[in-house]
Amino acid sequence: METTKKSQIVGIKNAGIVIICCFIVAVCIFQFLLGNPSNFMNNDPNNHPLNMLGTIYKGGVIVPVIQTLLLTVLALSIERFFALRSAFGKGSLAKFVANIKEALAAGDLKKAQEICDKQRGSVANVVTATLRKYEEMEKNTALPKEKLLAIQKELEEATALEMPMMQQNLPIIATITTLGTLMGLLGTVIGMIRSFAALSAGGGADSMALSQGISEALINTAFGILTGALAVISYNYFTNKIDKLTYGLDEVGFSIVQTFAATH
C-alpha cells in the first residue's frame, strides 16, 4: 500500500543547480570560445571580429546572461521530456485507457491490475491505487455511498500526488519566456546607448564604436527572441502533454467510480 503513496516520476528537483551549471558553461563559452583571439583581427586595437563568433562576443556582458537562460531552457526541456515520458508509461496512453475501461466493463479487476503493472507511469499509479481501494471497499461493511466517497477520495489523493511532479520546473521555463525577451531588450538598450554615445562624440575614430554598439543591440535582440521563443514552445508543448495525461486520469477515474456505483 505504501508504494501507492510515492510518485515514480523521475526528474530534477533542484533546478537551481541546473541554472548555476548553465551559467558556468555560458561564461566558459563566452570567454574561451567566443572571446578566442583567433576570432578577431591581429594587431587591431578595436578587436574587429573576423567571424560570427567574434561578432557575438561583441554583444557584451548580457550575452552570457541570455546564454544561461537559453541553456537552462534546453536542459529543463530535456529533463521534462524524459520525466513526462516516464509518467505516460510504456505503451500508448489512449490504448491503456481503452483497455482499462474494457476490463472494468467486464468486471475483471485482476485484468485491470495486470494492465496497470504492464503500463506503469502516473496514470497506472493512480489507477492501481484506486483499484486497491475498490477491492478494499468491496469487503467493507460501510454504506454504498460511503464506499463510493472513499474511492473518489483515493482517486483525488493519488492524482494530487502525481500532478506536482509532472508540472515541476515548468514555472521556471514559463518565467524564462518573459525574462529572456527582457534580457534581450536590456542588451538592445545598452547597445543603442553606446551607439548614440559614439555619435555624440563624432569623428571617424568613433565609427567602430558606433558599429559595435549597433552589433551589441542586434545580437542581444536576436538571442533574447530566440530564448523567449524556445521557452514558449517548450512550455506549451509540455503543458499540452500534461493536459492529455490529466484527461486520461479523469477518464479512467470516472470509469472506476461509475463501475462501482453501477454494481453496488
Side-chain angles (χ1 to χ4, degrees), residues 25-137:
V25 172
V27 171
C28 290
I29 292 174
F30 182 75
Q31 290 292 338
F32 302 112
L33 178 62
L34 301 180
N36 193 299
S38 63
N39 297 325
F40 304 92
M41 287 185 177
N42 295 327
N43 302 321
D44 183 1
N46 292 314
N47 288 328
H48 190 275
L50 290 173
N51 51 37
M52 182 58 67
L53 295 179
T55 303
I56 295 175
Y57 180 81
K58 288 296 183 178
V61 294
I62 299 296
V63 171
V65 176
I66 300 178
Q67 285 180 334
T68 299
L69 298 176
L70 179 60
L71 291 173
T72 300
V73 170
L74 294 175
L76 293 182
S77 295
I78 293 172
E79 181 269 341
R80 281 294 88 192
F81 174 80
F82 287 105
L84 291 180
R85 186 177 180 182
S86 68
F88 270 79
K90 293 186 175 181
S92 169
L93 182 61
K95 187 176 180 181
F96 168 75
V97 172
N99 290 338
I100 288 292
K101 292 174 69 175
E102 183 180 340
L104 291 173
D108 193 347
L109 297 181
K110 184 177 179 180
K111 182 180 178 181
Q113 185 59 60
E114 290 176 353
I115 295 172
C116 291
D117 294 338
K118 184 178 180 180
Q119 176 75 12
R120 298 184 181 181
S122 293
V123 178
N125 290 344
V126 173
V127 175
T128 295
T130 310
L131 288 176
R132 289 181 180 178
K133 179 61 70 172
Y134 189 109
E135 293 177 349
E136 181 184 330
M137 288 299 102

Side-chain angles (χ1 to χ4, degrees), residues 7-239:
S7 175
Q8 295 181 4
I9 300 177
V10 179
I12 297 175
K13 296 183 179 180
N14 192 347
I17 296 177
V18 176
I19 296 174
I20 293 173
C21 291
C22 289
F23 176 73
I24 294 172
V25 172
V27 171
C28 290
I29 292 174
F30 182 75
Q31 290 292 338
F32 302 112
L33 178 62
L34 301 180
N36 193 299
S38 63
N39 297 325
F40 304 92
M41 287 185 177
N42 295 327
N43 302 321
D44 183 1
N46 292 314
N47 288 328
H48 190 275
L50 290 173
N51 51 37
M52 182 58 67
L53 295 179
T55 303
I56 295 175
Y57 180 81
K58 288 296 183 178
V61 294
I62 299 296
V63 171
V65 176
I66 300 178
Q67 285 180 334
T68 299
L69 298 176
L70 179 60
L71 291 173
T72 300
V73 170
L74 294 175
L76 293 182
S77 295
I78 293 172
E79 181 269 341
R80 281 294 88 192
F81 174 80
F82 287 105
L84 291 180
R85 186 177 180 182
S86 68
F88 270 79
K90 293 186 175 181
S92 169
L93 182 61
K95 187 176 180 181
F96 168 75
V97 172
N99 290 338
I100 288 292
K101 292 174 69 175
E102 183 180 340
L104 291 173
D108 193 347
L109 297 181
K110 184 177 179 180
K111 182 180 178 181
Q113 185 59 60
E114 290 176 353
I115 295 172
C116 291
D117 294 338
K118 184 178 180 180
Q119 176 75 12
R120 298 184 181 181
S122 293
V123 178
N125 290 344
V126 173
V127 175
T128 295
T130 310
L131 288 176
R132 289 181 180 178
K133 179 61 70 172
Y134 189 109
E135 293 177 349
E136 181 184 330
M137 288 299 102
E138 282 191 325
K139 301 174 184 178
N140 198 298
T141 57
L143 294 175
K145 186 176 181 180
E146 294 177 353
K147 294 180 182 180
L148 194 62
L149 290 174
I151 294 174
Q152 289 176 332
K153 182 179 179 181
E154 182 67 23
L155 174 64
E156 292 171 359
E157 289 179 353
T159 302
L161 180 68
E162 298 291 337
M163 289 305 297
M165 293 301 297
M166 287 188 282
Q167 296 175 342
Q168 186 174 313
N169 295 331
L170 285 183
I172 296 176
I173 296 178
T175 301
I176 294 177
T177 298
T178 303
L179 191 59
T181 305
L182 290 177
M183 286 296 102
L185 181 61
L186 176 62
T188 302
V189 172
I190 293 175
M192 294 307 297
I193 289 173
R194 291 186 180 182
S195 297
F196 285 116
L199 282 174
S200 63
D206 291 319
S207 61
M208 181 62 69
L210 175 62
S211 65
Q212 288 180 356
I214 295 174
S215 295
E216 181 175 355
L218 296 178
I219 288 165
N220 287 305
T221 300
F223 266 105
I225 292 174
L226 175 63
T227 301
L230 287 178
V232 168
I233 293 171
S234 175
Y235 180 79
N236 289 335
Y237 173 78
F238 291 118
T239 300

